[in-house]
Amino acid sequence: MRVLGIETSCDETGVAVYDTALSGSAGLRAHAVYSQIALHAEYGGVVPELASRDHVRKLLPLIRQTLAEAGLSVDDIDGVAYTAGPGLVGALLVGAGVARSLAWALDKPAIGVHHMEGHLLAPLMEHDPPQAPFVALLVSGGHTQLVAVDAIGRYRLLGETLDDAAGEAFDKTAKLMGLPYPGGPQLAALAETGTPGVYKFARPMTDRPGLDFSFSGLKTQVLMAWRDSDRSEKTRADIARGFEDAVVDTLAIKCERALDAAGCDVLVVAGGVGANKRLRAKLADSAARRGGRVCFPRPALCTDNGAMIAFAGALRLQAGQHDGAEVNVTPRWDMAALPAVA
């Protein structure tokens, strides 16, 4: 089954083709992502209406490009998967409208995919994919969650952020220190040149039981440190390093607790922050020390992309699941409400 995947939940237009006749990474025939960073940079954040309009402009050309790279025509597609939520409602509707129209015209099944399930399943496209049960850390600009995965489609929320997501905290912290948009990757790059230990920030909510996160207080600590500093480039780098170490340590501590709570030794990490080099190294060290395993998608599949949507949709379409002809999106969507994949 060849499945066309469409991702338009926020500010990146992603398209991919996944072929279930092939396994793992070989099944990904082609994928492409168009980022709207330049469009939103002057506003310092995503403008929903502009995001929707740009998806309208870029989606059809990107579909043609991806099919050409896969060596396929539109008639070779056996199903269509699209992000139905969560996300920006206008952006979601662009992808859903195109996907449903294409499926109707081809008389092929279509299915709306949960954006975070797409992230969660992305590591399963890699070589030697993990098998359920495992614990997943979903960490991005919009979400920070720990999820127990009993099987594909059977998810239990173990903990989540009570305020800012980790990626959101990276972006906001970068902005308050004067770094350009998008701030998170800029801050992580700057932290590479900082000296560890010069600034020591709290590891939020690690001094109490539970698996929830909170990063707003950490952001305030950085603001106070930056305000009272000499604001030199060296100090900026040292503060960035202290902030990144605090976030990475917090995520690692909570992951170990989640694995203990779930009685599991396999951790899957996905989402944009999953590309962070220091987080990857920290969790790999933790897994080695515990005798467990940690699995990441390749960095290109950490950010929003059509490949994860094509893959997640293919698993559900193969299981006989599909949606009706109506165009429906769900900007707020609890992943625990998803049906299991038989």
Side-chain angles (χ1 to χ4, degrees):
M1 173 179 271
R2 301 183 183 110
V3 177
L4 178 71
I6 295 174
E7 155 62 23
T8 61
S9 65
C10 190
D11 62 335
E12 286 164 320
T13 312
V15 178
V17 176
Y18 190 85
D19 190 343
T20 60
L22 305 170
S23 61
S25 59
L28 185 57
R29 297 284 296 268
H31 77 105
V33 177
Y34 175 81
S35 175
Q36 300 177 2
I37 286 176
L39 175 65
H40 301 286
E42 66 176 292
Y43 305 100
V46 177
V47 181
E49 179 61 26
L50 295 181
S52 301
R53 293 178 183 180
D54 214 39
H55 286 311
V56 171
R57 284 190 288 266
K58 297 299 191 299
L59 184 51
L60 289 179
L62 207 61
I63 290 174
R64 296 189 190 100
Q65 172 190 327
T66 305
L67 287 172
E69 291 177 359
L72 302 172
S73 73
V74 69
D75 293 322
D76 295 321
I77 296 301
D78 301 307
V80 183
Y82 59 95
T83 303
L88 302 175
V89 62
L92 291 168
L93 283 168
V94 174
V98 170
R100 284 296 338 164
S101 299
L102 184 59
W104 181 84
L106 296 173
D107 193 25
K108 302 294 183 181
I111 189 162
V113 172
H114 193 290
H115 179 78
M116 296 311 296
E117 183 179 48
H119 277 304
L120 187 154
L121 298 178
L124 275 64
M125 281 188 282
E126 303 298 353
H127 174 70
D128 190 19
Q131 300 294 319
F134 55 80
V135 169
L137 171 66
L138 303 178
V139 56
S140 67
H143 298 81
T144 301
Q145 298 177 331
L146 283 163
V147 179
V149 179
D150 299 317
I152 297 175
R154 291 175 55 198
Y155 308 124
R156 292 180 288 117
L157 181 65
L158 300 176
E160 62 183 339
T161 184
L162 304 179
D163 40 58
D164 292 347
E168 182 182 6
F170 264 92
D171 289 338
K172 289 182 176 178
T173 300
K175 186 173 183 179
L176 67 86
M177 289 199 298
L179 295 175
Y181 175 87
Q186 300 279 350
L187 189 148
L190 183 62
E192 292 290 329
T193 66
T195 303
V198 175
Y199 285 88
K200 181 78 172 179
F201 300 115
R203 277 55 175 162
M205 297 185 70
T206 59
D207 58 348
R208 67 192 76 174
L211 296 173
D212 288 332
F213 302 89
S214 173
F215 296 107
S216 62
L218 177 58
K219 187 176 58 183
T220 302
Q221 290 180 53
V222 173
L223 173 62
M224 295 175 66
W226 176 243
R227 183 192 62 190
D228 298 337
S229 74
D230 60 8
R231 302 199 178 193
S232 67
E233 284 305 307
K234 182 64 172 68
T235 298
R236 194 197 306 262
D238 290 342
I239 291 176
R241 178 58 186 266
F243 169 81
E244 184 180 61
D245 284 346
V247 173
V248 167
D249 285 351
T250 299
L251 293 172
I253 291 168
K254 295 286 186 172
C255 284
E256 289 197 2
R257 291 181 183 176
L259 289 167
D260 289 339
C264 184
D265 61 1
V266 178
L267 176 68
V268 163
V269 183
V273 182
N276 183 277
K277 294 179 182 178
R278 191 156 286 117
L279 178 63
R280 286 184 172 232
K282 183 81 173 183
L283 293 177
D285 288 345
S286 175
R289 175 170 45 81
R290 293 169 59 93
R293 182 185 179 198
V294 60
C295 304
F296 305 92
R298 72 199 77 166
L301 299 187
C302 286
T303 56
D304 294 350
N305 61 86
M308 66 184 192
I309 302 305
F311 179 69
L315 295 179
R316 292 191 173 274
L317 288 170
Q318 275 193 308
Q321 299 179 16
H322 59 84
D323 294 332
E326 64 277 2
V327 177
N328 287 328
V329 297
T330 310
R332 294 182 180 274
W333 193 358
D334 182 2
M335 198 164 64
L338 292 173
V341 175

